[in-house]
Amino acid sequence: MLLGLSGVGYLAGGLLFGIALFRAGLVARWASALLAVATTSTVALAVLPTSFDRLFAIPAGIALVGIGWSAWRVAGAPRVAPRAGVVTEVVR
């Protein structure tokens, strides 16, 4: 029971997280799309031999590396200073 529930959580979580990252556009879109596809493609492992388990983990790993790399690249980018004379007021 618990194993089936964790499988559903992995599928739904990977798919929703990949879609959310894709729509937000904060990281590389190819990596977020690959994450969504790779996590949902693990459903095929139910009918395939166990020798395919590691092969299906490779795209998810590549997607996570791509997401981490692009997030790190964006975080280290120089920030643009506001122009002189432009008021940037935070309205709460």
Side-chain angles (χ1 to χ4, degrees), residues 47-81:
V47 296
L48 292 173
T50 57
S51 61
F52 287 99
D53 289 353
R54 292 183 181 176
L55 292 175
F56 273 75
I58 292 172
I62 292 172
L64 291 173
V65 168
I67 289 170
W69 174 78
S70 64
W72 192 10
R73 183 177 52 96
V74 170
R79 290 173 175 66
V80 178

Side-chain angles (χ1 to χ4, degrees), residues 24-65:
L26 297 174
V27 295
R29 287 182 173 245
W30 65 266
S32 55
L34 182 61
L35 179 67
V37 170
T39 54
T40 54
S41 68
T42 57
V43 172
L45 290 174
V47 296
L48 292 173
T50 57
S51 61
F52 287 99
D53 289 353
R54 292 183 181 176
L55 292 175
F56 273 75
I58 292 172
I62 292 172
L64 291 173
V65 168

